Amino acid sequence: MTHQRLPISIQDFEMIRNGNFYYVDKTPLIRRLVENGNHYFLSRPRRFGKSLLVDTIGALFAGQETLFKGLDIHQHWDWSVTHPVVRISFDRKYDLPEDIEQNLNNQLDLIAHSAGLKCVCNKGAAPERLQCLLYHLHYKTGQRVAVLVDEYDKPILDVIRDPEQARANREYLCSFYGIIKGSAKYVCFVFITGVSMFSKISLFSDLNNLKDISLDPRFATICGYTDTDLDTVFAPKLKSLDRNEIRTWYNGYSWLGEERVYNPFDVLLLFDERKFKPYWFRTGSPRFLFETMQGKSVNPLELEGRWTDETLVSKFEINDIEVEALLFQTGYLTIVDERSDGFDTLYKLDYPNQEVQISLNRGLLQYLGKPMKEAANEGRDLCALLTTNDFEGFMETLKAYLASIPYQWHTTGNLPRYEAWYASLLHMSFRAIGVDVRSEDPSSHGRADMVVLTGGQVFIFEFKMSETADKTEAALETAIAQMRERGYNEKYQDRKEPIHLIAIACGCEDRTLLDIRVESAG
């Protein structure tokens, strides 16, 4: 028997099942979907297996029984009944509404041709042609139609920097999706996927019977791989790879289920190349995220441990994109905790894993003018100076490093406090090389600006503004006294490691670092 192959970038269920590829059985969750409803919406980040899931559902309704032999759903499905399937996939660039119309017409032509309806429904705009196609498929086969839409939001996201064009594309899609509900008597099942969660009001106003399962714990693992999947399905590929390192690098995505999941794209490429790399991150382009953060004056320090409510996590509108929604829905942050607050549910967001943590911070620094390699090298230099307790060298290196980065976040919004800017840049520098750094670290009496754990030592930072250079000493004394009085070091005493209190004075007038003071605290 030939060795199983890795299904890298393969989204065709039939090809995977007939081609001796590894396959993680998602049919138990698909069965639960079908048994509990018939109109669904699912949001997941890019390269998380949405297209393969859609293709699997399509093969199921089409009655391709041989493909499902050995899978969970095989013994639970009525194979004597088959349904026509209309699958729409937005997989190209859509700059103009006419691009959507042309592409949809091509897809509808292919579906009609394969169903023997070549000369039927070949006139009119795509929404009217879809309505006609659903009608004739139903009456030709005697069965209702399964409608599957993959990457429903891509025509909007492609032009998201052009709000006017994005709205035009949205309005066109709204009219197209509205046909599905209007043809309910011909439709048995609807499944729509995408990256973003545009509200039903703005995009699905005429398809308001969709059940959003994006944050439904029952379907949290319907896309992605779990630890169990890796340890069973991919067990032969784990040889010579550090299992904990795989988990640290790539696991951690959560949609409120009991298990966290891996991005399949990362795992498959790791098993193929046998090297730990930011495979998923390199395929994206987060510049729009950085631009949005700057426009809304979101300090990079605020990305981690960010509490938000369900409304902000799911709010994605062309004219008002919430940073929380953008970070979460695109996969740069994930849910790490939740709590009730009266009638509301709050979610805590943080990096899902080391890949995203390191890569996103390097990307932010690059956006601010630091090449990724240079940012990583300077981060390592700063870390090495701390580890050797060369605090003067650390101060001079940090000063030169920060002076080379423009104050982009200072020019907009409500972030005039330069100590927050300096702290965020230092934070990103350490995050960019994977150092354990904790910002706004809570203690029983307050919050330390930053704590860095590296080289078997603990470094506690406090940044203070100095209005003029002659007030630097007073600012440093205040910072050191504050750290001691509030006992920032106490929570780290049990580590039995050297603890250093580091006060850094920031200048208001010249917008630079002025001086540093370090005291031992254990």
Side-chain angles (χ1 to χ4, degrees):
M1 181 178 178
T2 58
H3 291 293
Q4 282 185 282
R5 296 185 288 174
L6 295 167
I8 299 171
S9 297
I10 298 179
Q11 303 167 357
D12 188 308
F13 179 66
E14 181 177 5
M15 181 183 296
I16 289 177
R17 295 296 288 163
N18 289 335
N20 195 33
F21 288 94
Y22 286 96
Y23 176 69
V24 173
D25 187 3
K26 298 294 183 180
T27 63
L29 294 171
I30 295 174
R31 178 158 63 96
R32 182 181 293 175
L33 275 178
V34 178
E35 291 174 350
N36 287 278
N38 52 24
H39 283 66
Y40 292 103
F41 168 77
L42 175 71
S43 167
R44 287 293 184 269
R46 57 189 169 80
R47 295 190 177 274
F48 246 91
K50 298 187 296 296
S51 298
L52 176 58
L53 176 64
V54 168
D55 201 58
T56 305
I57 295 173
L60 183 66
F61 277 94
Q64 296 179 267
E65 180 181 3
T66 57
L67 300 180
F68 292 89
K69 288 184 176 179
L71 300 183
D72 173 86
I73 204 170
H74 183 260
Q75 61 183 333
H76 301 287
W77 192 260
D78 183 359
W79 298 104
S80 66
V81 179
T82 61
H83 295 269
V85 176
V86 170
R87 178 180 175 180
I88 302 296
S89 180
F90 293 100
D91 55 4
R92 53 162 290 182
K93 184 76 172 177
Y94 303 91
D95 293 325
L96 301 169
E98 49 263 40
D99 295 334
I100 309 175
E101 171 85 7
Q102 180 181 2
N103 182 250
L104 282 174
N105 279 327
N106 289 338
Q107 293 190 61
L108 294 175
D109 282 341
L110 292 173
I111 295 169
H113 186 274
S114 65
L117 300 173
K118 184 177 180 181
C119 297
V120 179
C121 308
N122 59 356
K123 296 181 180 179
E128 288 73 25
R129 293 190 63 201
L130 174 63
Q131 185 178 40
C132 181
L133 182 61
L134 293 174
Y135 171 87
H136 283 283
L137 284 173
H138 170 59
Y139 280 103
K140 178 180 180 179
T141 64
Q143 297 294 336
R144 295 162 76 188
V145 185
V147 180
L148 312 174
V149 182
D150 190 22
E151 303 295 354
Y152 84 100
D153 51 349
K154 190 173 185 300
I156 303 173
L157 299 180
D158 281 348
V159 292
I160 197 67
R161 288 188 176 90
D162 183 348
E164 183 176 349
Q165 189 60 59
R167 283 192 293 272
N169 286 6
R170 181 190 63 189
E171 293 307 311
Y172 184 91
L173 290 174
C174 185
S175 66
F176 183 78
Y177 296 139
I179 294 297
I180 299 173
K181 185 178 181 182
S183 305
K185 65 173 67 176
Y186 315 126
V187 174
C188 65
F189 188 83
V190 177
F191 191 72
I192 297 177
T193 77
V195 171
S196 59
M197 300 181 198
F198 282 99
S199 72
K200 292 180 182 179
I201 295 175
S202 68
L203 190 54
F204 296 128
S205 56
D206 295 326
L207 187 56
N208 55 10
N209 57 341
L210 285 177
K211 177 174 175 55
D212 186 352
I213 61 170
S214 303
L215 292 177
D216 189 327
R218 296 173 297 176
F219 303 103
T221 62
I222 198 167
C223 288
Y225 297 153
T226 66
D227 267 321
T228 301
D229 294 332
L230 265 63
D231 293 332
T232 55
V233 177
F234 295 103
K237 291 296 182 180
L238 295 176
K239 186 178 181 180
S240 78
L241 290 172
D242 186 312
R243 188 68 183 82
N244 288 328
E245 192 170 5
I246 297 174
R247 190 175 292 109
T248 299
W249 262 83
Y250 304 120
N251 195 20
Y253 290 94
S254 172
W255 286 276
L256 302 181
E258 294 182 0
E259 295 181 278
R260 296 185 178 277
V261 298
Y262 296 80
N263 183 303
F265 187 75
D266 276 326
V267 170
L268 294 175
L269 286 176
L270 169 68
F271 289 157
D272 181 51
E273 297 189 19
R274 320 298 293 177
K275 294 181 179 179
F276 291 92
K277 296 179 181 179
Y279 298 108
W280 173 78
F281 189 89
R282 289 178 179 177
T283 64
S285 180
R287 184 173 181 83
F288 178 68
L289 167 61
F290 302 153
E291 292 173 351
T292 303
M293 286 175 59
Q294 181 182 344
K296 291 181 174 288
S297 297
V298 175
N299 190 315
L301 278 172
E302 299 172 2
L303 296 184
E304 304 172 34
R306 190 180 180 98
W307 284 95
T308 184
D309 62 26
E310 186 173 2
T311 302
L312 292 181
V313 166
S314 60
K315 185 177 180 180
F316 200 101
E317 299 297 341
I318 293 171
N319 294 323
D320 185 20
I321 299 176
E322 295 292 342
V323 173
E324 292 91 343
L326 186 59
L327 288 163
F328 172 65
Q329 295 176 31
T330 52
Y332 296 112
L333 293 183
T334 195
I335 296 173
V336 297
D337 196 7
E338 63 176 315
R339 70 170 186 244
S340 296
D341 183 21
F343 292 104
D344 297 321
T345 299
L346 300 181
Y347 300 125
K348 185 179 182 181
L349 303 180
D350 212 328
Y351 296 119
N353 51 46
Q354 186 165 288
E355 177 199 15
V356 178
Q357 171 194 300
I358 292 175
S359 300
L360 185 62
N361 280 281
R362 289 186 181 183
L364 272 167
L365 289 170
Q366 184 177 38
Y367 175 72
L368 295 172
K370 280 287 183 183
M372 283 196 179
K373 185 175 182 180
E374 180 182 335
N377 289 337
E378 290 179 327
R380 293 189 188 96
D381 290 342
L382 290 168
C383 189
L385 290 166
L386 279 184
T387 302
T388 58
N389 295 170
D390 183 355
F391 298 113
E392 289 188 8
F394 173 82
M395 181 63 180
E396 292 305 315
T397 301
L398 180 61
K399 185 182 296 187
Y401 172 65
L402 298 182
S404 66
I405 297 178
Y407 301 96
Q408 294 190 36
W409 258 267
H410 283 201
T411 59
T412 60
N414 302 312
L415 270 181
R417 294 180 59 221
Y418 297 113
E419 71 265 31
W421 171 243
Y422 295 133
S424 68
L425 292 173
L426 183 57
H427 175 97
M428 286 189 288
S429 298
F430 286 134
R431 279 298 196 202
I433 59 172
V435 169
D436 187 350
V437 53
R438 306 169 186 184
S439 295
E440 294 294 320
D441 188 53
S443 68
S444 58
H445 300 291
R447 293 177 177 270
D449 285 346
M450 185 184 304
V451 176
V452 177
L453 308 176
T454 185
Q457 301 178 72
V458 180
F459 303 90
I460 302 175
F461 288 84
E462 189 73 20
F463 292 78
K464 283 294 181 184
M465 294 299 298
S466 177
E467 296 180 1
T468 57
D470 60 344
K471 296 183 179 180
T472 299
E473 282 299 313
L476 293 173
E477 289 178 7
T478 299
I480 291 290
Q482 177 176 306
M483 286 188 278
R484 286 195 173 280
E485 291 170 2
R486 297 181 180 179
Y488 291 163
N489 59 303
E490 293 175 2
K491 66 184 294 184
Y492 296 99
Q493 296 289 356
D494 290 344
R495 296 175 65 93
K496 307 299 182 183
E497 296 176 342
I499 301 175
H500 309 275
L501 304 180
I502 303 177
I504 294 180
C506 312
C508 290
E509 294 180 342
D510 49 7
R511 301 182 181 183
T512 187
L513 302 187
L514 299 175
D515 205 350
I516 186 172
R517 177 176 293 181
V518 181
E519 287 190 10
S520 174

